[in-house]
Amino acid sequence: MHAERPAFIKNQYEFAANIRDPERNVAPRDVEDRRMNLYRELFYNNVEDFMAGNFPVIREMTDDDRWHSMIRDYFSRHLAHTPYFPRMPEEFVRYLQTERSDCEGDPAFLVELAHYEWMELALSISDDEPEWDRYDRNTDLLEQSPSVSPLATALSYLYPVHQIDTDHQPTEPGKLPTYIIIYRNREDDVHFMEINAPIFRLLQLLQEGNSITGRQALEQVAAEMKHPDPAVVISGGQEILRDLLEHDIILGTPRH
């Protein structure tokens, strides 16, 4: 049998539970409601303001009642995996994915849009920093092995998340997936780039860590596409590799 918690710990749990969900949890007896209400408003307003700032598109398209209902539901029942405030948007995405799935009235694209908006913050605070000087940018990207930046991520969505706003809210997935690269360049600016399926596959191959050359990766893309003229894919792919390099999505090739 577990020992009963000390009184001061029980009070802390009661205090926190009442702040998170005052309708279901009573406040500590020795704290007047006026003071508890100040804490409840302070904590909730901080969380709500932070979420609104990090998910601006979702906030703009969601009416006030539904927005506050969603944030209060997240605040009251989601158990975060980290105490760090900048990680809270990731917790909110996890809540949407695992605890609020198929909630009536939510747009079908909500989870994907939240993930898309969260990725900007995730990259902006990432501790990864490429060792730029270790890579040769004046190199043959076809015959050498291009390295993809750790600050670049290729994403696939069912909905065109980069086009969603208050005036454009699709009710069905697109006919084809939407492919997007989100990346942070050497000036630490975060950008998004829409790409197609072959470029998405090219980046996947380069990121697998098998020291594959640009030509080998493009040959595999052409084979998977069953392209009648692989030379066309390789020729066009060479320009694509150079463009990815110019955007700092590809770092170059490792110096030996």
Side-chain angles (χ1 to χ4, degrees), residues 119 123 148-155 180-183 203 207 249:
M119 283 300 300
L123 264 191
V148 179
S149 171
L151 297 174
T153 303
L155 304 166
I180 295 173
I181 304 173
I182 177 172
Y183 63 97
L203 286 169
Q207 286 179 307
I249 294 167

Side-chain angles (χ1 to χ4, degrees), residues 66-226:
R66 188 166 190 83
W67 169 259
H68 286 288
S69 175
M70 180 166 58
I71 298 302
R72 286 196 179 279
D73 186 56
Y74 159 78
F75 186 58
S76 67
R77 66 189 179 101
H78 178 73
L79 298 179
H81 291 71
T82 172
Y84 298 110
F85 224 67
R87 302 291 182 184
M88 193 184 301
E90 182 179 4
E91 296 289 345
F92 185 64
V93 173
R94 185 178 291 115
Y95 153 80
L96 292 176
Q97 291 171 334
T98 63
E99 299 167 46
R100 192 184 170 83
S101 58
D102 300 325
C103 184
E104 184 178 355
D106 284 349
F109 56 75
L110 179 62
V111 173
E112 288 196 340
L113 179 57
H115 184 272
Y116 174 70
E117 293 203 88
W118 163 66
M119 283 300 300
E120 181 174 6
L121 174 67
L123 264 191
S124 67
I125 66 174
S126 173
D127 293 331
D128 289 329
E129 185 62 37
E131 297 182 49
W132 303 98
D133 294 339
R134 291 185 55 195
Y135 298 91
D136 185 0
R137 294 175 64 83
N138 299 308
T139 185
D140 190 335
L141 296 174
L142 279 182
E143 306 309 328
Q144 302 297 320
S145 300
S147 296
V148 179
S149 171
L151 297 174
T153 303
L155 304 166
S156 173
Y157 296 107
L158 296 177
Y159 291 85
V161 289
H162 60 307
Q163 298 174 350
I164 295 175
D165 56 28
T166 53
D167 297 321
H168 179 65
Q169 299 185 38
T171 57
E172 298 290 339
K175 294 182 179 179
L176 296 173
T178 293
Y179 298 103
I180 295 173
I181 304 173
I182 177 172
Y183 63 97
R184 195 173 90 197
N185 62 20
R186 63 184 60 227
E187 283 77 37
D188 287 329
D189 297 320
V190 177
H191 297 280
F192 298 87
M193 177 189 297
E194 185 176 6
I195 57 175
N196 57 26
I199 298 176
F200 181 83
R201 180 60 178 144
L202 173 63
L203 286 169
Q204 281 186 324
L205 293 170
L206 295 177
Q207 286 179 307
E208 287 177 355
N210 296 325
S211 297
I212 190 172
T213 67
R215 181 182 298 276
Q216 290 171 332
L218 289 165
E219 286 174 343
Q220 184 165 336
V221 170
E224 291 175 2
M225 293 171 60
K226 296 181 172 57

